[in-house]
Amino acid sequence: MELSDLRIFVAVARTGGITRAAAELHTVQSSISARIAGLERELGAPLLRRHARGVALTAAGEQLLGYARRITALADEASRIVRDETPRGPLRIGAMETTAGLRLPPVLESYTAAWPEVDLSVLTGPTDSLVALVKDHALDGALVAGPVDDRDLHEEEIGTEELAVVTASRHRDLDDALRGPNGARLLVFRAGCSYRRGLEAVVRALGVEPKVLDYGSVEGILGCVAAGLGITMLPRELVERSALRPRLRLHRPSPAEATATTVFVRHRDAHATTALTEFHRHLRETWRDAPRAAS
């Protein structure tokens, strides 16, 4: 059943005649008659009764008319939405826990104020999990630690974070922290976190085999570090902003682990909606203009 045939049928029913429908649709009567006849053959029932003043709907025609009006109205609505460049509808974004706390709030504030019709949701998690969700089309995009180097994903660098190894304030340096009873205990996010991998490399380079304890939140990790229960590695600026900062000491890791690049990834095969395009613009502009805490 062709959408164009249903539009013609609705026009004939509305105008009450094939001649009037042909004039409205800027076509010839024979074309209208042929399309209606084809629709009747497809449905196996007569839709119109001809009379001297025009046409009237049969019982089958009356039944079809309600459906035809709804179908053509939905098609028109879908066409308007697709053509309309106003961002709206669902948008699913992923972000590392640290990025969500440090960088996303001003992005979300400006974005939701500009585009209130977008149904925005944010999921936090480690890089590996977020990348897998983008690849599975469960997320429209994600802020993760790069580089990702996956041929299924489009990847763009957004910014760079300076990292710090964090210990309780009483430790003069990292060696001093590692010699303590809990020094080799790493308080980190679950497997798949890039900061966790970096900290493990730092500790192993000092000849210590780490013991890992998973945590789900930044403040939970920093609270345990401040209590002397282990060490962690996080963006320096995030730690500087924490209320626990007076109880913490920040140490510079090796140059290879001193910085982390944040990238925005999306699936190469996915359609970039206006909602996603605008989010990307807000993300770049807000990240670029964000003030940096003093090191």
Side-chain angles (χ1 to χ4, degrees):
M1 194 181 304
E2 296 290 336
L3 180 62
S4 57
D5 290 345
L6 293 178
R7 292 191 188 280
I8 289 172
F9 172 70
V10 170
V12 171
R14 183 177 64 253
T15 62
I18 290 177
T19 301
R20 289 187 289 273
E24 180 180 289
L25 298 174
H26 305 290
T27 189
V28 296
Q29 296 179 46
S30 59
S31 176
I32 297 290
S33 296
R35 299 292 287 273
I36 294 295
L39 193 56
E40 289 176 325
R41 285 194 301 272
E42 183 177 353
L43 295 174
L47 301 175
L48 302 175
R49 292 194 307 272
R50 278 74 174 174
H51 54 73
R53 295 185 303 278
V55 297
L57 295 179
T58 65
E62 292 284 0
Q63 287 182 316
L64 177 63
L65 182 60
Y67 290 103
R69 283 172 172 165
R70 293 205 297 272
I71 291 170
T72 54
L74 282 172
D76 291 341
E77 180 184 351
S79 180
R80 286 194 301 272
I81 289 174
V82 169
R83 290 197 304 267
D84 187 0
E85 295 185 355
T86 301
R88 56 167 52 88
L91 180 63
R92 305 157 301 176
I93 297 297
M96 296 178 291
E97 182 80 23
T98 52
T99 303
L102 184 62
R103 303 294 178 205
L104 271 191
V107 180
L108 300 181
E109 180 183 12
S110 65
Y111 183 80
T112 55
W115 309 117
E117 293 184 56
V118 175
D119 182 14
L120 177 63
S121 60
V122 178
L123 175 70
T124 61
T127 288
D128 291 357
S129 297
L130 296 174
V131 166
L133 290 171
V134 175
K135 285 171 66 69
D136 289 342
H137 298 278
L139 290 174
D140 297 303
L143 286 158
V144 299
V148 174
D149 294 329
D150 190 304
R151 64 183 181 182
D152 291 334
L153 302 179
H154 174 77
E155 173 182 353
E156 181 179 352
E157 180 176 336
I158 298 297
T160 302
E161 300 288 0
E162 181 184 355
L163 301 181
V165 177
V166 189
T167 70
S169 59
R170 65 175 179 269
H171 297 300
R172 300 183 306 276
D173 53 37
L174 190 52
D175 285 336
D176 179 50
L178 290 174
R179 284 197 296 270
N182 297 314
R185 181 182 294 155
L186 311 188
L187 307 177
V188 292
F189 295 111
R190 64 183 185 272
C193 173
S194 60
Y195 302 150
R196 170 179 178 156
R197 289 192 291 265
L199 183 56
E200 288 174 344
V202 167
V203 172
R204 287 194 175 103
L206 295 173
V208 178
E209 187 59 29
K211 296 175 290 187
V212 177
L213 185 60
D214 292 353
Y215 271 78
S217 70
V218 171
E219 288 305 307
I221 290 173
L222 291 179
C224 290
V225 171
L229 299 180
I231 66 173
T232 193
M233 185 160 75
L234 291 169
R236 173 178 289 270
E237 186 173 350
L238 187 67
V239 182
E240 294 285 4
R241 294 183 181 187
S242 173
L244 294 166
R245 178 65 182 90
R247 299 171 57 193
L248 303 168
R249 189 181 297 273
L250 279 64
H251 311 272
R252 294 187 183 278
S254 61
E257 309 296 341
T259 59
T261 300
T262 302
V263 299
F264 187 69
V265 295
R266 58 179 176 83
H267 205 291
R268 289 189 183 276
D269 294 339
H271 170 63
T273 63
T274 53
L276 180 59
T277 300
E278 278 299 303
F279 179 84
H280 179 259
R281 182 179 68 81
H282 279 258
L283 175 65
R284 290 193 62 83
E285 292 180 355
T286 306
W287 194 299
R288 180 194 64 206
D289 297 338
R292 293 292 188 260
S295 299

